Amino acid sequence: MIQRIQTIYLLLTFLITGVLLFFIPLWTLNTGKAFYFMQDQVYTVLLGLSTMLTVISIISYKKRQNQFVMGRLNIILNLILLGLFVYRSLNLSGEAVTVSEKGIGMFLPIVAIVLLVLANKAIKKDEDLVKSVDRLR
């Protein structure tokens, strides 16, 4: 399980979505207060789903096809999350108490998407290798 490169990619994705966002703020408000994802219920649910899909994908390493599908769903979920972050930062920037400084946490879903794409590529490579070996039998 751990010797496969896709597991490393998935573990890094888990660290980003499940651990790192607790410590890195998404942005800073005009009041100088840091805004974390836990302060908005939608962000909490979407990041929780993303983290859960990543963990399930790591655990189901023997079912490559399911792992691949969960990776794609996780990519879509992170794209939605990234879209919500960008929408919030761009749309609400003219009001009194909104985003004044964007944080690095807002762009962490991009890193998660890249890692998930790399993991899916490695899963597909493994699946093709198994199929080619099955053809030889």
Side-chain angles (χ1 to χ4, degrees), residues 34-51:
F35 184 87
Y36 291 91
F37 80 94
M38 299 158 293
Q39 294 171 331
D40 193 342
Q41 190 175 16
V42 174
Y43 300 151
T44 305
V45 168
L46 288 176
L47 278 167
L49 285 173
S50 177
T51 304

Side-chain angles (χ1 to χ4, degrees), residues 4 12 17 21 24 26 31 39 41 46 59 69 72 88-89 91 115:
R4 296 168 57 206
L12 289 173
T17 59
L21 280 172
I24 297 177
L26 297 176
T31 59
Q39 294 171 331
Q41 190 175 16
L46 288 176
I59 292 171
V69 170
R72 285 207 171 168
R88 170 89 187 255
S89 69
N91 193 29
L115 289 170

Side-chain angles (χ1 to χ4, degrees), residues 81-98:
L81 193 61
L82 181 65
L84 287 174
F85 288 164
V86 170
Y87 174 77
R88 170 89 187 255
S89 69
L90 294 177
N91 193 29
L92 301 176
S93 62
E95 295 181 18
V97 183
T98 58

